[in-house]
């Protein structure tokens, strides 16, 4: 059996635990009798099912960790669960309107209200005053950010968590990261995309006073500009390998001589041109 199959089987291995853990929270998918099936060398076990009261809304999987959301049929409440190959935990419950989209000026192309990677789940949730970032590493729920303004769109990589925050009503916002060294600001206006490759964070940014975009990276210690970047706010701008490398496209947007260039940064080093297409 391949490692991928082993990881997937491990991630879907326990149903009895799920049922016993979530039963106190009321009738829902995992309270129903589980169904198990064998397909070749795959063993599939049910983590959750739709019920008359709760519907599975979304899920994300990374290695042996699964996280998913369920929405009640009235459309008023949402629950976030995580399964770490051993037990299931209810991480959060919130009004469904909390993840209703951007209403306060965030314009970066990174979307998503929770993320899963390398044993960590991160999500955004209102703390009674504004949206903050929370995380779970298999042990406890932690409040990652704690301020008086909105924090949105978390991404995770090898225990590091990055997100954007909006401390100013003018619309300027910051790219933040939390790791073993604490919480720090990596960049400010105008970040339009970001993604982890392993522990290395790549982002697309135009510094204050500049009229061009570049791709920057931070490995937990140093921040370096590694290549040209596009100014189009495209979703999933970076292609990453989870090992510290990333690829992206750059466009001149010059209609008299337009070109597309694919750049690759290997292990966070200065990017090289892989392919160019003239238009």
């Amino acid at each position: 059996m391949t490692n991928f199959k082993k990881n997937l089987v491990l991630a879907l291995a326990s149903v009895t635990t799920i049922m016993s853990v979530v039963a106190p929270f009321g009738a829902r998918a995992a309270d129903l009798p589980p169904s198990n099936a064998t397909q070749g060398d795959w063993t599939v076990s049910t983590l959750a099912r739709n019920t008359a009261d709760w519907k599975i809304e979304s899920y994300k999987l990374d290695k042996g960790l699964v996280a998913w959301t369920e929405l009640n049929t009235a459309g008023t409440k949402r629950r976030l669960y995580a399964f770490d190959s051993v037990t299931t935990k209810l991480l959060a419950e919130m009004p469904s309107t909390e993840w209703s989209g951007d209403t306060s000026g965030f314009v970066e192309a990174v979307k998503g209200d929770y993320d899963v990677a390398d044993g960590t789940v991160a999500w955004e949730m209102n703390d009674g005053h504004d949206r903050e970032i929370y995380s779970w590493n298999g042990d406890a729920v932690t409040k990652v950010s704690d301020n008086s303004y909105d924090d949105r769109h978390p991404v995770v990589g090898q225990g590091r968590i990055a997100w954007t925050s909006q401390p100013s009503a003018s619309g300027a916002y910051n790219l933040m990261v939390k790791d073993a060294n604490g919480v720090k600001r990596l960049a400010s206006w105008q970040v339009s995309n970001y993604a982890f490759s392993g522990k290395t964070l790549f982002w697309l940014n135009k510094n204050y006073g500049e009229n061009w975009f570049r791709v920057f990276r931070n490995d937990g210690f140093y921040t370096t500009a590694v290549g040209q970047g596009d100014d189009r706010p495209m979703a999933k701008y970076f292609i990453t390998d989870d090992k510290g490398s990333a690829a992206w496209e750059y466009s001149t947007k010059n209609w008299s001589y337009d070109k597309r260039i694919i750049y690759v940064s290997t292990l966070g080093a200065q990017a090289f041109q892989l392919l160019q297409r003239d238009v």
Side-chain angles (χ1 to χ4, degrees):
M1 186 184 299
T2 65
N3 288 334
F4 175 77
K5 289 184 178 180
K6 288 179 180 178
N7 286 335
L8 184 58
V9 170
L10 181 64
L12 303 176
S14 173
V15 176
T16 303
T17 303
I18 294 176
M19 295 174 64
S20 62
V21 170
V22 301
F25 299 106
R28 56 172 294 280
D31 296 331
L32 297 178
S35 63
N36 302 309
T38 300
Q39 181 68 36
D41 56 0
W42 292 71
T43 299
V44 180
S45 299
T46 304
L47 297 180
R49 292 193 186 98
N50 292 338
T51 68
D53 301 310
W54 291 89
K55 305 294 182 183
I56 299 170
E57 180 185 35
S58 66
Y59 71 92
K60 295 185 178 183
L61 180 147
D62 181 77
K63 303 179 180 71
L65 179 63
V66 184
W68 71 93
T69 62
E70 297 183 9
L71 194 66
N72 69 347
T73 51
T76 58
K77 292 182 180 180
R78 175 179 289 110
R79 288 171 177 168
L80 174 65
Y81 291 89
F83 174 67
D84 62 0
S85 302
V86 179
T87 60
T88 296
K89 182 176 178 63
L90 175 64
L91 301 182
E93 179 172 309
M94 66 193 77
S96 61
T97 54
E98 279 197 26
W99 290 0
S100 58
D102 295 332
T103 59
S104 57
F106 284 83
V107 297
E108 79 279 358
V110 176
K111 302 299 179 186
D113 304 292
Y114 73 104
D115 194 31
V116 177
D118 304 305
T120 300
V121 182
W123 68 96
E124 63 182 62
M125 185 171 64
N126 198 301
D127 67 350
H129 303 283
D130 54 79
R131 289 182 176 91
E132 302 292 352
I133 304 300
Y134 293 80
S135 71
W136 179 74
N137 61 2
D139 183 25
V141 172
T142 302
K143 190 176 185 181
V144 176
S145 64
D146 190 4
N147 47 52
S148 59
Y149 42 82
D150 272 348
D151 299 282
R152 300 294 301 270
H153 310 318
V155 296
V156 182
Q158 292 190 7
R160 305 183 77 202
I161 304 171
W163 68 94
T164 40
S165 65
Q166 188 183 34
S168 171
S170 66
Y173 49 87
N174 300 322
L175 175 63
M176 308 295 296
V177 68
K178 179 184 182 299
D179 53 26
N181 299 314
V183 177
K184 59 184 175 182
R185 184 182 71 179
L186 292 181
S188 58
W189 181 269
Q190 177 180 4
V191 177
S192 61
N193 213 312
Y194 50 97
F196 275 110
S197 179
K199 69 175 182 178
T200 301
L201 181 68
F202 291 85
W203 69 93
L204 189 60
N205 189 32
K206 180 176 71 174
N207 286 337
Y208 181 80
E210 297 177 348
N211 61 358
W212 65 92
F213 281 75
R214 289 179 288 173
V215 171
F216 295 79
R217 67 90 172 155
N218 176 277
D219 60 3
F221 299 98
Y222 302 105
T223 295
T224 308
V226 294
Q228 297 182 95
D230 216 308
D231 61 356
R232 296 173 294 172
M234 297 184 294
K236 298 181 179 179
Y237 184 69
F238 296 103
I239 299 173
T240 62
D241 65 355
D242 200 33
K243 298 178 181 179
S245 301
W248 64 91
E249 182 188 72
Y250 166 74
S251 169
T252 61
K253 295 188 69 176
N254 183 336
W255 295 112
S256 61
Y257 175 60
D258 194 15
K259 62 182 177 179
R260 304 283 192 271
I261 302 175
I262 302 298
Y263 286 104
V264 176
S265 170
T266 303
L267 301 178
Q270 189 67 31
F272 63 90
Q273 180 176 323
L274 179 67
L275 178 69
Q276 176 174 322
R277 178 170 62 92
D278 295 332
V279 180

PDB file of all heavy atoms in Angstrom, residues 16-32:
ATOM      1  N   THR A  16     -16.149   4.938  15.951  1.00  0.00           N
ATOM      2  CA  THR A  16     -16.666   4.782  17.302  1.00  0.00           C
ATOM      3  C   THR A  16     -16.281   5.970  18.165  1.00  0.00           C
ATOM      4  O   THR A  16     -17.082   6.511  18.922  1.00  0.00           O
ATOM      5  CB  THR A  16     -16.117   3.492  17.935  1.00  0.00           C
ATOM      6  OG1 THR A  16     -16.452   2.388  17.109  1.00  0.00           O
ATOM      7  CG2 THR A  16     -16.687   3.295  19.320  1.00  0.00           C
ATOM      8  N   THR A  17     -15.023   6.416  18.052  1.00  0.00           N
ATOM      9  CA  THR A  17     -14.559   7.561  18.817  1.00  0.00           C
ATOM     10  C   THR A  17     -15.344   8.807  18.458  1.00  0.00           C
ATOM     11  O   THR A  17     -15.738   9.578  19.317  1.00  0.00           O
ATOM     12  CB  THR A  17     -13.061   7.799  18.562  1.00  0.00           C
ATOM     13  OG1 THR A  17     -12.342   6.618  18.898  1.00  0.00           O
ATOM     14  CG2 THR A  17     -12.551   8.950  19.411  1.00  0.00           C
ATOM     15  N   ILE A  18     -15.584   9.028  17.183  1.00  0.00           N
ATOM     16  CA  ILE A  18     -16.334  10.200  16.747  1.00  0.00           C
ATOM     17  C   ILE A  18     -17.712  10.210  17.382  1.00  0.00           C
ATOM     18  O   ILE A  18     -18.155  11.214  17.919  1.00  0.00           O
ATOM     19  CB  ILE A  18     -16.482  10.211  15.218  1.00  0.00           C
ATOM     20  CG1 ILE A  18     -15.127  10.394  14.561  1.00  0.00           C
ATOM     21  CG2 ILE A  18     -17.416  11.327  14.775  1.00  0.00           C
ATOM     22  CD1 ILE A  18     -15.174  10.315  13.071  1.00  0.00           C
ATOM     23  N   MET A  19     -18.380   9.085  17.371  1.00  0.00           N
ATOM     24  CA  MET A  19     -19.730   9.026  17.893  1.00  0.00           C
ATOM     25  C   MET A  19     -19.765   9.328  19.387  1.00  0.00           C
ATOM     26  O   MET A  19     -20.608  10.060  19.870  1.00  0.00           O
ATOM     27  CB  MET A  19     -20.330   7.642  17.631  1.00  0.00           C
ATOM     28  CG  MET A  19     -20.516   7.318  16.152  1.00  0.00           C
ATOM     29  SD  MET A  19     -21.057   5.644  15.881  1.00  0.00           S
ATOM     30  CE  MET A  19     -22.657   5.700  16.665  1.00  0.00           C
ATOM     31  N   SER A  20     -18.805   8.805  20.125  1.00  0.00           N
ATOM     32  CA  SER A  20     -18.830   9.003  21.565  1.00  0.00           C
ATOM     33  C   SER A  20     -18.475  10.423  21.949  1.00  0.00           C
ATOM     34  O   SER A  20     -18.962  10.947  22.939  1.00  0.00           O
ATOM     35  CB  SER A  20     -17.851   8.034  22.240  1.00  0.00           C
ATOM     36  OG  SER A  20     -16.522   8.294  21.810  1.00  0.00           O
ATOM     37  N   VAL A  21     -17.595  11.057  21.155  1.00  0.00           N
ATOM     38  CA  VAL A  21     -17.164  12.406  21.501  1.00  0.00           C
ATOM     39  C   VAL A  21     -18.242  13.436  21.218  1.00  0.00           C
ATOM     40  O   VAL A  21     -18.474  14.343  22.002  1.00  0.00           O
ATOM     41  CB  VAL A  21     -15.871  12.762  20.732  1.00  0.00           C
ATOM     42  CG1 VAL A  21     -15.543  14.235  20.899  1.00  0.00           C
ATOM     43  CG2 VAL A  21     -14.724  11.903  21.258  1.00  0.00           C
ATOM     44  N   VAL A  22     -18.924  13.330  20.084  1.00  0.00           N
ATOM     45  CA  VAL A  22     -19.834  14.395  19.684  1.00  0.00           C
ATOM     46  C   VAL A  22     -21.266  14.161  20.150  1.00  0.00           C
ATOM     47  O   VAL A  22     -22.100  15.039  20.008  1.00  0.00           O
ATOM     48  CB  VAL A  22     -19.838  14.580  18.152  1.00  0.00           C
ATOM     49  CG1 VAL A  22     -18.448  14.900  17.663  1.00  0.00           C
ATOM     50  CG2 VAL A  22     -20.391  13.350  17.454  1.00  0.00           C
ATOM     51  N   ALA A  23     -21.581  13.012  20.727  1.00  0.00           N
ATOM     52  CA  ALA A  23     -22.953  12.724  21.123  1.00  0.00           C
ATOM     53  C   ALA A  23     -23.582  13.797  22.013  1.00  0.00           C
ATOM     54  O   ALA A  23     -24.753  14.118  21.856  1.00  0.00           O
ATOM     55  CB  ALA A  23     -23.017  11.365  21.814  1.00  0.00           C
ATOM     56  N   PRO A  24     -22.830  14.404  22.970  1.00  0.00           N
ATOM     57  CA  PRO A  24     -23.463  15.398  23.836  1.00  0.00           C
ATOM     58  C   PRO A  24     -23.947  16.641  23.116  1.00  0.00           C
ATOM     59  O   PRO A  24     -24.714  17.419  23.668  1.00  0.00           O
ATOM     60  CB  PRO A  24     -22.343  15.748  24.822  1.00  0.00           C
ATOM     61  CG  PRO A  24     -21.431  14.579  24.792  1.00  0.00           C
ATOM     62  CD  PRO A  24     -21.473  14.087  23.377  1.00  0.00           C
ATOM     63  N   PHE A  25     -23.513  16.860  21.863  1.00  0.00           N
ATOM     64  CA  PHE A  25     -23.868  18.091  21.170  1.00  0.00           C
ATOM     65  C   PHE A  25     -25.154  17.962  20.365  1.00  0.00           C
ATOM     66  O   PHE A  25     -25.503  18.850  19.615  1.00  0.00           O
ATOM     67  CB  PHE A  25     -22.704  18.522  20.261  1.00  0.00           C
ATOM     68  CG  PHE A  25     -21.452  18.789  21.013  1.00  0.00           C
ATOM     69  CD1 PHE A  25     -20.400  17.895  20.971  1.00  0.00           C
ATOM     70  CD2 PHE A  25     -21.333  19.913  21.805  1.00  0.00           C
ATOM     71  CE1 PHE A  25     -19.237  18.132  21.685  1.00  0.00           C
ATOM     72  CE2 PHE A  25     -20.174  20.159  22.517  1.00  0.00           C
ATOM     73  CZ  PHE A  25     -19.129  19.263  22.461  1.00  0.00           C
ATOM     74  N   GLY A  26     -25.864  16.869  20.500  1.00  0.00           N
ATOM     75  CA  GLY A  26     -27.148  16.745  19.829  1.00  0.00           C
ATOM     76  C   GLY A  26     -27.069  15.887  18.590  1.00  0.00           C
ATOM     77  O   GLY A  26     -26.005  15.505  18.127  1.00  0.00           O
ATOM     78  N   ALA A  27     -28.234  15.558  18.052  1.00  0.00           N
ATOM     79  CA  ALA A  27     -28.302  14.661  16.899  1.00  0.00           C
ATOM     80  C   ALA A  27     -27.583  15.262  15.700  1.00  0.00           C
ATOM     81  O   ALA A  27     -27.819  16.397  15.325  1.00  0.00           O
ATOM     82  CB  ALA A  27     -29.756  14.391  16.546  1.00  0.00           C
ATOM     83  N   ARG A  28     -26.689  14.478  15.115  1.00  0.00           N
ATOM     84  CA  ARG A  28     -25.963  14.927  13.943  1.00  0.00           C
ATOM     85  C   ARG A  28     -25.439  13.699  13.217  1.00  0.00           C
ATOM     86  O   ARG A  28     -25.688  12.562  13.626  1.00  0.00           O
ATOM     87  CB  ARG A  28     -24.809  15.863  14.314  1.00  0.00           C
ATOM     88  CG  ARG A  28     -23.831  15.256  15.301  1.00  0.00           C
ATOM     89  CD  ARG A  28     -22.617  16.117  15.482  1.00  0.00           C
ATOM     90  NE  ARG A  28     -21.854  16.183  14.259  1.00  0.00           N
ATOM     91  CZ  ARG A  28     -21.023  15.240  13.846  1.00  0.00           C
ATOM     92  NH1 ARG A  28     -20.873  14.142  14.536  1.00  0.00           N
ATOM     93  NH2 ARG A  28     -20.362  15.392  12.712  1.00  0.00           N
ATOM     94  N   ALA A  29     -24.670  13.951  12.173  1.00  0.00           N
ATOM     95  CA  ALA A  29     -24.260  12.873  11.287  1.00  0.00           C
ATOM     96  C   ALA A  29     -23.570  11.725  12.013  1.00  0.00           C
ATOM     97  O   ALA A  29     -23.881  10.561  11.803  1.00  0.00           O
ATOM     98  CB  ALA A  29     -23.337  13.432  10.212  1.00  0.00           C
ATOM     99  N   ALA A  30     -22.605  12.013  12.883  1.00  0.00           N
ATOM    100  CA  ALA A  30     -21.799  10.970  13.487  1.00  0.00           C
ATOM    101  C   ALA A  30     -22.541  10.189  14.570  1.00  0.00           C
ATOM    102  O   ALA A  30     -22.022   9.216  15.091  1.00  0.00           O
ATOM    103  CB  ALA A  30     -20.521  11.555  14.076  1.00  0.00           C
ATOM    104  N   ASP A  31     -23.758  10.606  14.932  1.00  0.00           N
ATOM    105  CA  ASP A  31     -24.532   9.866  15.920  1.00  0.00           C
ATOM    106  C   ASP A  31     -25.219   8.653  15.298  1.00  0.00           C
ATOM    107  O   ASP A  31     -25.761   7.818  16.024  1.00  0.00           O
ATOM    108  CB  ASP A  31     -25.597  10.777  16.552  1.00  0.00           C
ATOM    109  CG  ASP A  31     -24.957  11.923  17.337  1.00  0.00           C
ATOM    110  OD1 ASP A  31     -23.840  11.727  17.834  1.00  0.00           O
ATOM    111  OD2 ASP A  31     -25.568  12.988  17.427  1.00  0.00           O
ATOM    112  N   LEU A  32     -25.226   8.578  13.967  1.00  0.00           N
ATOM    113  CA  LEU A  32     -25.876   7.457  13.302  1.00  0.00           C
ATOM    114  C   LEU A  32     -24.920   6.275  13.225  1.00  0.00           C
ATOM    115  O   LEU A  32     -23.701   6.445  13.287  1.00  0.00           O
ATOM    116  CB  LEU A  32     -26.303   7.882  11.893  1.00  0.00           C
ATOM    117  CG  LEU A  32     -27.339   9.008  11.826  1.00  0.00           C
ATOM    118  CD1 LEU A  32     -27.611   9.343  10.371  1.00  0.00           C
ATOM    119  CD2 LEU A  32     -28.618   8.617  12.533  1.00  0.00           C
TER     120      LEU A  32
END
